[in-house]
Amino acid sequence: MWRFQVDGMSCGHCEKAVRSAVQALQADAVVQVDLASGKVSVQAPQLKPEQIIAAIEDAGYDARLTEALA
């Protein structure tokens, strides 16, 4: 599982856009979004963090990896 700081999210639409961007790469990815803190947790064993960041940035948000959990 990875945790990312995602800047620019402010509403339910933003949350859906980020979740959809990641799930477009891996449909069964588990994506948890905390709008208040801007943190996004992703469990997607087939993906690399760089792919997730690129997808989130393509959706229009700034993202950076903050934590990698085993």
Side-chain angles (χ1 to χ4, degrees):
M1 178 188 298
W2 296 284
R3 289 203 177 118
F4 302 88
Q5 181 65 43
V6 180
D7 298 326
M9 297 186 304
S10 61
C11 64
H13 177 269
C14 298
E15 179 180 347
K16 184 177 179 181
V18 168
R19 182 175 285 112
S20 295
V22 175
Q23 290 177 334
L25 299 174
Q26 182 179 329
D28 64 346
V30 177
V31 183
Q32 297 174 331
V33 178
D34 182 344
L35 285 176
S37 67
K39 297 194 184 309
V40 175
S41 298
V42 178
Q43 187 171 359
Q46 298 173 7
L47 301 178
K48 296 180 181 177
E50 299 81 19
Q51 293 172 291
I52 297 168
I53 290 170
I56 293 171
E57 290 181 344
D58 285 348
Y61 305 93
D62 292 324
R64 67 183 179 283
L65 181 65
T66 59
E67 191 174 2
L69 305 170

